[in-house]
Amino acid sequence: MVRELGALLVADPFVVMNAIGLVAFALVGASKAIREQFDLFGIAVVGLATAFAGGMTRDILVNRIPLALSDPSEIALGVVGVGLAIGLHVVLESPDDHPVTLVSDAVGLAAFATAGAIVATEAGVSAFGVVAIATVNAVGGGAIADILLDRAPFILFEDFYASCAVLGGTTYWLAVTAGLGGSTAAAACAAVTVGTRLIAVTQGWSLPTAQRFRPG
Amino acid sequence: MVRELGALLVADPFVVMNAIGLVAFALVGASKAIREQFDLFGIAVVGLATAFAGGMTRDILVNRIPLALSDPSEIALGVVGVGLAIGLHVVLESPDDHPVTLVSDAVGLAAFATAGAIVATEAGVSAFGVVAIATVNAVGGGAIADILLDRAPFILFEDFYASCAVLGGTTYWLAVTAGLGGSTAAAACAAVTVGTRLIAVTQGWSLPTAQRFRPG
Amino acid sequence: MVRELGALLVADPFVVMNAIGLVAFALVGASKAIREQFDLFGIAVVGLATAFAGGMTRDILVNRIPLALSDPSEIALGVVGVGLAIGLHVVLESPDDHPVTLVSDAVGLAAFATAGAIVATEAGVSAFGVVAIATVNAVGGGAIADILLDRAPFILFEDFYASCAVLGGTTYWLAVTAGLGGSTAAAACAAVTVGTRLIAVTQGWSLPTAQRFRPG
């Protein structure tokens, strides 16, 4: 199975990255909704919205019908992620703060940054477009989750989160421009994104915010 | 005229449902703006935005130029709805709470859920896509009206409103999948949506909200 | 150079108007971020978002990949505007209130209203669609700047701002419908928009707001 996944990753990196992102972000969104004590309907809505929001924005930007609406496997993968979140909640105590959820979030961020970079490159956008679409694909889910949970989505600006996707998207564009194959570029993008994100979480990295520059 | 409308409903259910939705939602949006004592310009803006918002979102999702921007008859129908709201305001006392407005809202919800389900099915999206686009088409107007009137659009989550469109969209997909014709499916979708909505209004139905599950 | 710009304006008014709008709005957005004492990263983000937001919404509405993502010259022009804002901040004291910034805002509004009207006309939308897309292209930047700076974007409704773009877009549609060439229509649209906006600013014009009609 691992070997088949590896072969698929070489054959069609988008499918693999998109599937990983859907499961991981549905898990993260559903876990947040569980901690807020939403009912089952609310948990499913927040989980699926977290999984779908980034990709839908990406698809609207590159001018195609959102995959989440046209491909039934998207919702199946989202449901798997929601189910995993509920399972984790039963097995563990606090899934929202648990390392499993934090790692899932970093993995989903990296997988969606890569999926976005692949779609953007295929759509023939500029270097800026590749990085922008990779970032939107990666952070859209976290933003919509915060909106649905009635938190300010400015968490995106407050730590080293969107910046990891910017670095990953830039890596993808550099790799493709340097003549590397799509699978290699995808692996490099995912590795840079998940690596910087996990280091940022464990080291407590943060970008300087505007507030730090405001007068006392 | 009724016979011709019936023939048109069979020939092109989208045109009929979309026209009904535009007039009904423009009436509802304009009535809300009248109650807030907006000026004529504000009444027209809120009425037209309420009529157009759901369909524009639908058209962006299925990747076509919004009908509201490309088809002059859309704005004509919206203006009819705004005119009806002003007429009702002159004839009746409180058009916003009046049964005419409540029924218009339910009729618009049903007509737009059906229009959305038809467009989504023609665009070849998945079952989830049909239900999602039907719902967005149906509830987009109410959401934008609340935003323009500076109310929280969470009214959508607080009563049995979006759920009626979800049921209607599901009915449409089941009917089409079962092999029924488009007109029959449209009639079933509209009947289920308007029926559940009117029962919900008269019976005071509400979905359990997340707050009910939050600790004291 | 002025003669060449004039020739280009005749040959392709969209390119000229879009370039003017990008530089002007990037300057305005970056100036606002400078006044809020954002860091360099924040200044660039707000400047570019202000430059790109209106055109991206326009492109999504007319169903094409946003130019900001596909054309590298867009970001180059945005960076020029951000650089000008920083230069102005060094040379002048308060660039946000300075006549240079106020005139830039009016020029950007007019240029983007014209760019939007041109794209909308080419996309074959209705008269309402031309005016709506011209207005969205013109005011989108100011709206996103206010959102990013955590101000209510209702400044759009509070003075004679969006209305200037509505007048400009209407002028464009009337000129094209009357059989005038695209360059003449573009010049008329830009002149009406920037003229009404500058008169409104200097004369303190404002549209009656809904609040004026609210009781007590």
Side-chain angles (χ1 to χ4, degrees):
Chain A
M1 153 119 201
V2 168
R3 177 178 293 182
E4 282 154 0
L5 204 69
L8 184 60
L9 184 58
V10 173
D12 194 341
F14 171 77
V15 168
V16 176
M17 290 297 174
N18 192 48
I20 293 172
L22 287 167
V23 174
F25 267 22
L27 190 166
V28 171
S31 295
K32 288 183 180 179
I34 289 170
R35 191 167 74 165
E36 295 287 327
Q37 301 188 276
F38 276 39
D39 61 347
L40 199 59
F41 180 76
I43 293 165
V45 166
V46 176
L48 293 178
T50 306
F52 293 161
M56 289 184 72
T57 314
R58 172 201 68 212
D59 288 338
I60 290 171
L61 288 174
V62 301
N63 204 19
R64 69 179 194 191
I65 298 182
L67 271 188
L69 299 179
S70 57
D71 184 348
S73 69
E74 293 252 325
I75 190 155
L77 290 162
V79 169
V80 167
V82 171
L84 283 175
I86 295 171
L88 280 175
H89 179 62
V90 173
V91 176
L92 309 168
E93 262 199 18
S94 175
D96 192 5
D97 295 274
H98 198 272
V100 171
T101 313
L102 291 177
V103 170
S104 282
D105 193 45
V107 167
L109 188 79
F112 273 148
T114 311
I118 293 170
V119 170
T121 303
E122 281 169 3
V125 301
S126 66
F128 173 72
V130 170
V131 176
I133 291 174
T135 306
V136 163
N137 200 156
V139 306
I144 200 75
D146 282 346
I147 291 170
L148 291 176
L149 296 169
D150 206 15
R151 305 178 187 167
F154 280 80
I155 188 166
L156 298 174
F157 297 98
E158 279 170 30
D159 61 7
F160 215 81
Y161 188 79
S163 312
C164 304
V166 170
L167 289 176
T170 307
T171 303
Y172 186 91
W173 182 82
L174 288 172
V176 167
T177 305
L180 298 179
S183 305
T184 313
C189 171
V192 167
T193 309
V194 76
T196 50
R197 178 61 189 153
L198 287 178
I199 295 171
V201 168
T202 50
Q203 303 293 318
W205 280 1
S206 69
L207 277 181
T209 62
Q211 279 66 41
R212 283 202 12 212
F213 295 87
R214 280 196 184 136
Chain B
M1 156 125 198
V2 168
R3 180 178 294 182
E4 283 155 359
L5 204 70
L8 184 59
L9 184 57
V10 172
D12 195 341
F14 172 77
V15 168
V16 176
M17 290 297 173
N18 192 47
I20 293 172
L22 287 167
V23 174
F25 267 22
L27 190 165
V28 171
S31 295
K32 288 182 180 178
I34 289 170
R35 192 167 74 164
E36 296 286 327
Q37 299 188 277
F38 276 38
D39 61 347
L40 199 58
F41 180 76
I43 293 166
V45 166
V46 176
L48 293 178
T50 307
F52 293 162
M56 289 184 73
T57 312
R58 171 202 68 211
D59 289 338
I60 289 171
L61 287 175
V62 300
N63 203 19
R64 68 180 195 192
I65 297 181
L67 270 187
L69 299 178
S70 57
D71 184 349
S73 70
E74 293 252 325
I75 190 155
L77 289 162
V79 168
V80 167
V82 172
L84 282 176
I86 295 170
L88 279 175
H89 179 63
V90 173
V91 175
L92 308 169
E93 267 201 11
S94 174
D96 191 7
D97 295 274
H98 198 271
V100 171
T101 312
L102 290 177
V103 170
S104 281
D105 192 46
V107 167
L109 187 80
F112 274 148
T114 311
I118 293 169
V119 170
T121 304
E122 282 169 2
V125 301
S126 66
F128 173 72
V130 170
V131 176
I133 291 174
T135 305
V136 163
N137 199 157
V139 306
I144 200 75
D146 282 346
I147 291 169
L148 291 176
L149 296 169
D150 206 14
R151 304 177 189 169
F154 279 79
I155 187 166
L156 298 173
F157 297 96
E158 278 171 29
D159 60 4
F160 216 82
Y161 188 79
S163 312
C164 304
V166 169
L167 288 176
T170 307
T171 302
Y172 187 90
W173 182 81
L174 287 172
V176 167
T177 305
L180 297 179
S183 306
T184 313
C189 171
V192 166
T193 309
V194 77
T196 49
R197 176 63 188 152
L198 288 178
I199 295 173
V201 168
T202 50
Q203 303 294 319
W205 281 0
S206 69
L207 279 180
T209 61
Q211 280 66 41
R212 282 205 11 216
F213 295 86
R214 279 193 185 140
Chain C
M1 151 118 201
V2 168
R3 178 179 292 180
E4 282 156 0
L5 203 69
L8 184 60
L9 184 57
V10 172
D12 194 340
F14 171 77
V15 167
V16 177
M17 290 297 173
N18 192 48
I20 294 172
L22 287 167
V23 174
F25 267 22
L27 190 165
V28 171
S31 295
K32 288 183 180 178
I34 289 169
R35 193 169 73 166
E36 296 286 327
Q37 301 187 275
F38 276 39
D39 60 348
L40 199 59
F41 180 76
I43 292 166
V45 166
V46 176
L48 293 177
T50 306
F52 293 161
M56 288 184 73
T57 313
R58 171 202 69 213
D59 289 337
I60 290 171
L61 288 175
V62 302
N63 204 17
R64 69 179 193 191
I65 297 182
L67 271 188
L69 299 179
S70 56
D71 184 349
S73 69
E74 294 252 324
I75 191 156
L77 290 162
V79 168
V80 167
V82 171
L84 283 176
I86 294 170
L88 279 175
H89 179 62
V90 172
V91 176
L92 309 169
E93 264 200 15
S94 175
D96 192 7
D97 295 275
H98 198 272
V100 171
T101 313
L102 290 176
V103 170
S104 281
D105 192 45
V107 167
L109 187 80
F112 273 147
T114 311
I118 292 169
V119 170
T121 304
E122 281 170 3
V125 302
S126 66
F128 173 73
V130 171
V131 176
I133 291 173
T135 306
V136 163
N137 199 158
V139 307
I144 201 76
D146 282 347
I147 291 170
L148 291 176
L149 297 168
D150 206 13
R151 305 176 187 169
F154 279 80
I155 188 166
L156 299 174
F157 297 97
E158 277 169 31
D159 61 5
F160 214 82
Y161 188 79
S163 312
C164 304
V166 170
L167 289 175
T170 307
T171 303
Y172 187 90
W173 182 81
L174 287 172
V176 167
T177 305
L180 298 179
S183 304
T184 314
C189 171
V192 166
T193 308
V194 77
T196 50
R197 177 62 189 152
L198 287 177
I199 296 172
V201 168
T202 50
Q203 303 293 318
W205 281 0
S206 70
L207 277 181
T209 61
Q211 280 66 40
R212 281 200 17 210
F213 294 86
R214 279 196 183 136

